[in-house]
Amino acid sequence: RVNILPLSEKILVETLVIYGESIDLHLLEDILLGVGIDKEQIGKSLKMLFEKRIILRIFESGSIRIKCFNNIIQKTCEENILEETKNKINYEIGKILSTYTDIDVETKIKAGIHFLNGLKFKNAIQVLFPAIDELKKLNRILKALSVIEQLYEKREHFVGIDYYEIGKQFAYLKKESGEYESALKELLMLYGKFHEKRIELNQLISNCMLLQRDYSHAYRYIEEGLEISKGKGIPQQIVNYFALKSQLLNGELKFTKSIETATKAIEIDSKLNEKERNPNLYNVIGLSYYYVGDYNLSEKYFKAGLNICDMTSDSQYKKIMILNNIGMLYFKKENYKTALSSYNRAIGIAKDSGDKFR
């Protein structure tokens, strides 16, 4: 065993540089826990290294990679360092990771979790919220849910809009993963606390209720949301609520009324910026025409919805649903080759998403 008294900045830095990625964790522990080195001394030495940005310079030199050092520090934090110093180290690791150029989503998550563990809550959400949005665009719903759950566990440390956003993201991802009861419970709690956010909460609540086929309760939230949207003059939200209302009418087998409602919404949607348009609206009216037996119009609207999906960056899930419905339509028309092609396209996108689609 290596005996070092006291542990010096020079020895630790030189050890990291010499051994680099191949450094043995047990060797480093021997150095850190050499005879006469107490927990406070180890903590002070590591804290000093971070404060002087020495570790960052080692990273930049290419002598040691973050994965190796990250594992070492996590192990050290678990066993050897005072709580205050552990928080400082987590914060410094978060800063290092979050300043990487071309940072990928996994590194963003690691940085955010380090901030969270370092009790730097504002830094945590500044990194984790964009990472969650990126995962949602990739349809990695289960991964996104695992991240938001870690924020949700510490939600008592957040106030105001941050508290709200954590709850909303948590509920949305619970809904997308099929846990409707958990999602609805959270949304109704937020509905009671944040009146000014009802324009978006009503949409999430009614959508959740539609998935549970609770049409009578969903109708109340759709109508309230539609009135708020009209009162504030927000065309995109008006379209969203019309699409939900049309979907509800389909569920009640009122296909003619559903078509009338969706047609009104399409007049508004067609004037929106292409990135604001709602592909689900065209999917819903396509289904309405499918159910009344007008397959030509059904195909027209399904394909229009598919084109809008290509304009928007976060519509992969909607694209899968529309491709599935196009497959269903062609199967009904006994065009089995085209139906199979559409189904396979949907499966291909689902496989590339990284999560298992329900």
Side-chain angles (χ1 to χ4, degrees), residues 1 12 20 41 46 50 76 84 105 122 127 133 140 165 173 186 222 277 309 324 327 348 354:
R1 295 181 65 87
L12 184 53
Q41 178 63 35
L46 287 173
F50 279 104
T76 309
E84 182 183 350
V105 68
K122 199 71 180 177
V127 176
D133 287 340
R140 296 182 62 189
E165 285 296 332
L173 291 165
E186 181 66 23
I222 290 170
R277 298 185 69 183
C309 283
N324 184 68

Side-chain angles (χ1 to χ4, degrees), residues 206-218:
S206 56
N207 187 265
C208 204
M209 288 176 170
L210 289 176
L211 290 166
Q212 295 177 299
R213 299 184 181 180
D214 184 358
Y215 301 128
S216 59
H217 287 99

